[in-house]
């Protein structure tokens, strides 16, 4: 989170308006959401990046359809464009916001901080490296603002502190963005794409789970608003996978014991992320408890029947059902008979709610169609997203 802190301090030093500071804070926290491949992420630890990274454009493509974050998307888009004595005002025919250049500067400062070394001993060398790039990589006025604040120890002590999440001039309660229920569901859908689009094989999974959870809620007699919250929780259930290293998510072969253990972190990370964003407790638990089992043998909390509410049970069944009926690279979706028999076995073992499995089995065809339609729509989103990426690559090659 260094970058977010640094960008806020720089923005404040430069006298940027509060509204712009808010956008920069969110953009700082989300600047690398478009990082989908390990190969690209490896290159970013170097101070100077040889090839034009694609992840800014990818992040922009993710955020573009969601109006409340479209400004943030524009800030993220070109956060690796060099200033080049003013030529960096424009990139591939579009204007580059000054905020993108500020994020670029903050990002490169953050890359230069070595976490293993005492931060105050690094000040001189970092100042020197940044100052040497004034005009070439960075806007000179921004470099001056940095050199000013970089002379003060507190800036570095905050920047290097693991406790710093983000900085706000109001110190704390800074309402960065307020969304109503439907907007929040839309945001959840966007985040599920960020998680799922890391691989074409999982590109539609969370969308399938979200639709199945909402439909199973309806079949169980839950209200419209509860079903909407179940859908939102379904979109977010695997958001903790953002913390799983790309080399594991991308591994083509069988995972070893250590890698499986790391994958198992994800539902606890979902819990922590949703708690941190202040999601209401029920919806958060529906989402984060999707690997718990009624007999207490699930993970990570080993909760059992009395603690697992209907919403949690629905999510678990929806997740397993979706995984069974969707196509995987190594097998097509399972037949009705096979899927129902697996779900029934899990019920006999004491893992799943028998009433829900019965409801699901009684409405199997309808549920399968709902799942396939949701996944089909997510796959179309994925394909148009992949085309936009190709288009961008071609533009970069021609430029
Ligand atoms: Fe980046
Ligand atoms: Fe999961
Ligand atoms: Fe899942």
């Amino acid at each position: 989170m260094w970058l977010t802190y640094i960008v806020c301090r720089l923005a404040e030093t430069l006298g940027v308006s509060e509204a712009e500071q808010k956008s920069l804070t969110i953009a700082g926290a989300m600047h690398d959401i478009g990082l989908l491949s390990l190969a690209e992420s490896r290159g970013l630890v170097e101070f100077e990046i040889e090839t034009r990274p694609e992840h800014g454009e990818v992040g922009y493509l993710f955020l573009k359809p969601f109006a409340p974050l479209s400004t943030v998307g524009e800030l993220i888009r070109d956060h690796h464009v060099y200033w080049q004595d003013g030529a960096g005002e424009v990139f591939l025919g579009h204007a580059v916001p000054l905020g993108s250049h500020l994020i670029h500067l903050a990002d490169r400062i953050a890359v230069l901080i070595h976490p293993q070394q005492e931060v105050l001993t690094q000040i001189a060398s970092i100042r020197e490296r940044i100052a040497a790039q004034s005009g070439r990589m960075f806007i000179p006025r921004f470099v001056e603002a940095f050199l000013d604040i970089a002379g003060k120890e507190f800036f570095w002590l905050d920047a290097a502190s693991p406790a710093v999440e983000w900085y706000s001039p109001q110190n704390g309660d800074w309402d960065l963005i307020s969304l109503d229920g439907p907007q929040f569901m839309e945001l959840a859908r966007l985040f599920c794409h960020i998680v799922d689009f890391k691989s074409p094989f999982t590109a539609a999974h969370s969308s399938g789970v979200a639709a199945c959870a909402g439909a199973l809620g309806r079949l169980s007699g839950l209200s419209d608003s509860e079903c909407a919250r179940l859908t939102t929780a379904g979109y977010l259930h695997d958001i903790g996978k953002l913390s799983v290293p790309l080399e594991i998510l991308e591994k083509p072969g069988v995972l070893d014991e250590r890698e499986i253990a790391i994958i198992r972190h994800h539902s606890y990370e979902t819990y922590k992320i949703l708690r941190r964003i202040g999601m209401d407790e029920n919806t958060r638990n529906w989402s984060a408890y999707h690997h718990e089992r009624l007999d207490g043998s699930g993970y990570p909390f080993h909760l059992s029947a009395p603690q697992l509410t209907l919403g949690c049970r629905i999510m678990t069944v929806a997740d397993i059902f979706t995984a069974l009926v969707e196509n995987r690279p190594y097998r097509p979706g399972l037949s009705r008979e096979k899927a129902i028999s697996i779900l029934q076995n899990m019920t006999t073992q004491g893992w799943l709610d028998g009433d829900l499995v019965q409801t699901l089995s009684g409405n199997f065809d309808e549920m399968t169609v709902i799942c396939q339609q949701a996944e089909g729509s997510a796959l179309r989103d994925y394909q148009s997203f992949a085309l936009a990426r190709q288009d961008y690559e071609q533009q970069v090659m021609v430029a």
Side-chain angles (χ1 to χ4, degrees):
M1 284 295 178
W2 295 334
L3 179 142
T4 314
Y5 172 79
I6 296 167
V7 86
C8 285
R9 277 290 187 199
L10 290 174
E12 187 192 32
T13 309
L14 287 159
V16 164
S17 75
E18 192 181 304
E20 282 173 294
Q21 283 191 44
K22 285 186 179 183
S23 298
L24 281 165
T25 304
I26 304 173
M30 300 179 88
H31 71 290
D32 278 345
I33 53 162
L35 210 47
L36 298 181
S37 84
L38 182 63
E40 189 169 342
S41 74
R42 282 204 175 117
L44 296 179
V45 293
E46 302 300 328
F47 179 62
E48 285 213 45
I49 300 167
E50 301 281 309
T51 50
R52 166 77 40 232
E54 186 204 10
H55 65 275
E57 183 73 13
V58 173
Y60 163 75
L61 291 173
F62 274 133
L63 298 183
K64 194 169 77 158
F66 184 59
L69 290 181
S70 59
T71 309
V72 171
E74 277 158 25
L75 286 170
I76 286 175
R77 188 178 196 180
D78 298 310
H79 75 269
H80 285 285
V81 169
Y82 284 19
W83 179 243
Q84 291 177 310
D85 299 313
E89 268 182 352
V90 174
F91 184 66
L92 297 177
H94 62 261
V96 177
L98 290 179
S100 302
H101 286 287
L102 197 62
I103 295 172
H104 182 218
L105 171 60
D107 187 43
R108 296 299 90 192
I109 296 166
V111 158
L112 291 175
I113 302 176
H114 290 289
Q116 267 79 37
Q117 284 171 29
E118 163 53 42
V119 70
L120 298 183
T121 65
Q122 302 178 54
I123 300 175
S125 67
I126 296 177
R127 290 182 77 173
E128 208 174 293
R129 297 236 6 222
I130 297 291
Q133 294 299 332
S134 181
R136 179 177 173 261
M137 285 172 76
F138 312 120
I139 296 179
R141 185 163 65 87
F142 292 177
V143 172
E144 277 162 37
F146 163 69
L147 294 176
D148 177 30
I149 197 155
K152 299 163 187 168
E153 285 84 356
F154 83 92
F155 167 76
W156 296 98
L157 296 173
D158 273 345
S161 158
V164 166
E165 291 189 352
W166 60 64
Y167 164 77
S168 76
Q170 280 75 17
N171 282 329
D173 268 355
W174 210 26
D175 203 3
L176 284 173
I177 186 167
S178 51
L179 303 172
D180 59 25
Q183 283 176 321
F184 189 73
M185 189 197 283
E186 196 48 32
L187 182 65
R189 201 173 74 89
L190 187 148
F191 268 96
C192 103
H193 285 348
I194 294 170
V195 176
D196 288 0
F197 284 9
K198 288 190 189 292
S199 153
F201 307 125
T202 58
H205 172 72
S206 301
S207 301
V209 173
C212 290
L216 208 45
R218 245 182 334 274
L219 290 170
S220 308
L222 295 183
S223 68
D224 285 352
S225 85
E226 284 171 312
C227 292
R229 280 166 49 220
L230 267 170
T231 305
T232 300
Y235 281 134
L236 296 173
H237 79 288
D238 275 342
I239 194 175
K241 283 194 179 158
L242 288 175
S243 71
V244 176
L246 285 167
E247 56 260 49
I248 297 180
L249 292 178
E250 274 183 19
K251 187 172 171 179
V254 181
L255 300 177
D256 64 27
E257 201 185 329
R258 183 185 143 270
E259 292 159 343
I260 292 171
I262 292 173
I263 294 257
R264 282 168 74 104
H265 294 199
H266 81 273
S267 56
Y268 185 55
E269 293 300 327
T270 295
Y271 178 85
K272 289 201 294 188
I273 291 168
L274 299 184
R275 189 177 57 181
R276 202 160 89 199
I277 65 166
M279 180 185 255
D280 78 276
E281 203 179 320
N282 273 329
T283 319
R284 177 197 73 201
N285 294 348
W286 296 347
S287 191
Y289 295 167
H290 67 277
H291 288 296
E292 300 289 343
R293 295 169 177 166
L294 294 184
D295 67 353
S297 67
Y299 64 90
F301 297 108
H302 291 257
L303 301 173
S304 56
Q307 296 135 311
L308 295 168
T309 61
L310 180 61
C312 304
R313 297 170 188 218
I314 287 176
M315 194 61 63
T316 307
V317 171
D319 188 30
I320 296 170
F321 168 77
T322 305
L324 293 176
V325 299
E326 70 193 357
N327 296 324
R328 293 284 163 108
Y330 47 89
R331 60 140 177 87
L334 300 187
S335 68
R336 172 197 173 101
E337 289 67 34
K338 190 96 189 103
I340 291 180
S341 123
I342 291 175
L343 287 163
Q344 278 169 350
N345 270 340
M346 290 178 165
T347 309
T348 314
Q349 298 216 46
W351 297 353
L352 304 180
D353 184 309
D355 291 341
L356 281 176
V357 171
Q358 208 176 354
T359 306
L360 180 63
S361 308
N363 297 274
F364 193 89
D365 294 339
E366 186 199 334
M367 287 293 296
T368 306
V369 169
I370 288 169
C371 183
Q372 283 168 348
Q373 279 176 348
E375 295 213 342
S377 150
L379 282 176
R380 281 192 294 280
D381 284 349
Y382 178 72
Q383 275 147 10
S384 53
F385 172 80
L387 281 176
R389 283 176 73 186
Q390 272 175 22
D391 193 44
Y392 172 77
E393 274 164 32
Q394 272 165 7
Q395 283 185 56
V396 170
M397 263 167 29
V398 172

